[in-house]
Amino acid sequence: MEDKKLTFIMYPWYAMGHLTSFLHLSNKLAHRGHKIFFVHPTKTLSKLEKFNLHPQLISFKSITVPHVEGLPLGAETTSDIPIFKQNLLWQALDLTKPKIESLIQELKPHYILYDFAYWVPSVARKYGVKSIHYCSITPSSVGYLMRGEQAIPEAEMMEPPPGFPVDSSIKLHKHEARLIAALHSMGKDSRSSGSGTVSFTQRLLLAFQDGDAIAFKTTREIEGPYCDFVENKFKKPVVLAGPILPEPIETSNNTEENWSKWLEKFQEKAVIFCAFGSECKLKKDQFQELVLGLELTGLPFSAALKPPFEAETIEEALPEGFKERTDGKGIFHSGWADQQLMLSHPSVGCFVTHCGGNSLSEAMINECQLVLVPNFGDQFINARLFGGDLKVGVEVERDEENGLFTREGVCKAIKMVMNDESEEGREIRMNRAKWREFLLSKGLEDSYIDAFVQKLQTLL
């Protein structure tokens, strides 16, 4: 039974973080001889190909993202559109249902793994195929945020749901609860498309409720109580794939080489690396507070950020005189940066992050200290999990009401994690080292992936 090789279709949501997350899992499965058909939007192939470590077992299947009225022409992923147009991309995803059905019919996989395409289980069942919701966010986020279809009042959202693990540090601030409430109803207005569409919350609830199992990229040691809470909530088996550590990627990119050369000028662990993922855009005043906070530390920094909302380029968004003052000490990059490469560089000592799941997993296996600046959705929960439960980073202080942070707050958090003097900083660095050692411990990842495959064999 255990030697049976499985065939999978992977159908992740059209966001780079989701696509790469599914591909990292595909690599681990292909390494054990299982066959993968990986469905992706056409133009993402060039970004994904280099992550495919088993081309003989992982076949890419490109899909044309259908055009929906209001969606910019040629838009394929969340990084091509503003966040308030995401519901149009969900509609486009839903229009691929016939294409996915014909792939299931043709390829006859044992399993299809999906996330936002909530209709996958009903299609798969027709052909006797099992479906697994492979969730790109953490069990703690799912447990805290998924509370049913009705809108939850802000004050209620600030507190964890009934039955949530008691020793959890996870709670939301007022401004975060307000954002979550707005996200809850997003996509409800279906007038823009001929077909009725489901809200974001309905979409996710259906995705969790309808599959044969729910899978997460985490370990019991880090999130055990939250996994039990989710299993109990959705009455579905929760299967853990373990930490799914990304494999080191060889690079021959000139930009990366230039960054490397620049970093080599500085002492070990002296540089701050700040990156907010491929989607996060700040308002101009917050962008300026962030970069002024980096300057205030007096340390060299490199930042991979998108231009803020009110600016076309990073250059025009920088505070007056900033470029001259930080010349040679600060470097900006507005394209796609190989974060893994940056975080593992010996000169990088601190990572200022938006708390996206993939960014945190990459950071946890490197030695840089963590400063947490969550911006949206599950990032708030991740910040409490890593800053509160695990105590491996420091969150930048914000105004409770409007969520704004200051340059002083940014500087203070960075100084705290990088400074040997403070007791809190010392405790955080000890915890960071302990969890890094655990995640890199010999055999940990293999034992999780083997157990994951075994569990899938028994579900067939």
Side-chain angles (χ1 to χ4, degrees), residues 170-221:
I170 299 174
K171 283 183 172 186
L172 289 180
H173 298 300
K174 201 169 186 174
H175 62 95
E176 296 169 337
R178 197 179 311 129
L179 273 174
I180 296 292
L183 184 64
H184 177 98
S185 55
M186 193 166 154
K188 267 211 176 121
D189 179 16
S190 57
R191 282 172 304 190
S192 59
S193 82
S195 63
T197 180
V198 295
S199 76
F200 182 64
T201 306
Q202 285 169 318
R203 172 177 296 278
L204 285 189
L205 281 171
L206 288 164
F208 280 109
Q209 288 160 354
D210 218 17
D212 293 292
I214 301 167
F216 290 103
K217 173 182 92 168
T218 188
T219 65
R220 288 207 76 81
E221 292 80 354

Side-chain angles (χ1 to χ4, degrees), residues 242-460:
I244 309 280
L245 307 176
E247 310 287 342
I249 302 295
E250 290 303 311
T251 181
S252 54
N253 179 326
N254 290 340
T255 318
E256 312 301 355
E257 279 171 22
N258 294 344
W259 274 55
S260 254
K261 280 201 185 85
W262 184 83
L263 285 168
E264 273 149 24
K265 300 192 297 198
F266 302 101
Q267 281 176 301
E268 207 167 283
K269 304 271 173 281
V271 179
I272 303 161
F273 175 52
C274 173
F276 279 12
S278 58
E279 290 170 37
C280 174
K281 276 179 110 153
L282 296 172
K283 291 202 167 131
K284 190 172 172 185
D285 57 345
Q286 286 289 275
F287 173 86
Q288 294 195 337
E289 288 300 316
L290 176 68
V291 301
L292 288 166
L294 297 176
E295 181 191 4
L296 210 52
T297 63
L299 296 164
F301 64 87
S302 68
L305 297 166
K306 292 193 93 157
F309 281 111
E310 305 88 329
E312 287 294 307
T313 65
I314 293 279
E315 299 279 302
E316 66 178 84
L318 292 173
E320 207 174 319
F322 181 87
K323 208 166 164 12
E324 294 71 28
R325 295 194 305 273
T326 58
D327 189 37
K329 270 188 94 167
I331 179 173
F332 283 93
H333 184 63
S334 59
W336 192 80
D338 193 331
Q339 191 165 277
Q340 236 176 294
L341 215 70
M342 296 294 297
L343 293 173
S344 60
H345 197 286
S347 300
V348 173
C350 175
F351 179 34
V352 181
T353 171
H354 68 311
C355 303
N358 287 347
S359 294
L360 288 168
S361 335
E362 286 177 8
M364 287 297 278
I365 56 170
N366 285 298
E367 290 179 12
C368 49
Q369 301 309 318
L370 286 174
V371 167
L372 312 167
V373 193
N375 275 279
F376 200 67
D378 62 308
Q379 297 164 8
F380 302 134
I381 308 294
N382 293 345
R384 306 300 118 79
L385 176 70
F386 283 77
D389 285 18
L390 303 177
K391 292 192 173 58
V392 293
V394 167
E395 225 180 300
V396 169
E397 289 168 12
R398 291 174 185 246
D399 183 289
E400 177 67 37
E401 190 62 47
N402 60 25
L404 299 178
F405 57 80
T406 63
R407 63 195 81 171
E408 292 79 14
V410 172
C411 177
K412 180 181 164 190
I414 293 171
K415 286 275 176 76
M416 187 186 289
V417 292
M418 289 184 83
N419 184 349
D420 287 331
E421 312 298 293
S422 86
E423 184 133 342
E424 195 175 343
R426 269 201 299 275
E427 184 194 359
I428 284 165
R429 279 196 301 282
M430 272 169 56
N431 288 332
R432 275 287 281 124
K434 177 188 88 176
W435 281 111
R436 176 173 182 268
E437 192 181 336
F438 163 73
L439 289 168
L440 293 172
S441 58
K442 196 168 166 46
L444 174 82
E445 186 170 75
D446 283 341
S447 67
Y448 265 101
I449 289 285
D450 292 340
F452 180 79
V453 172
Q454 258 174 340
K455 179 73 174 174
L456 298 196
Q457 303 274 18
T458 62
L459 288 176
L460 283 176

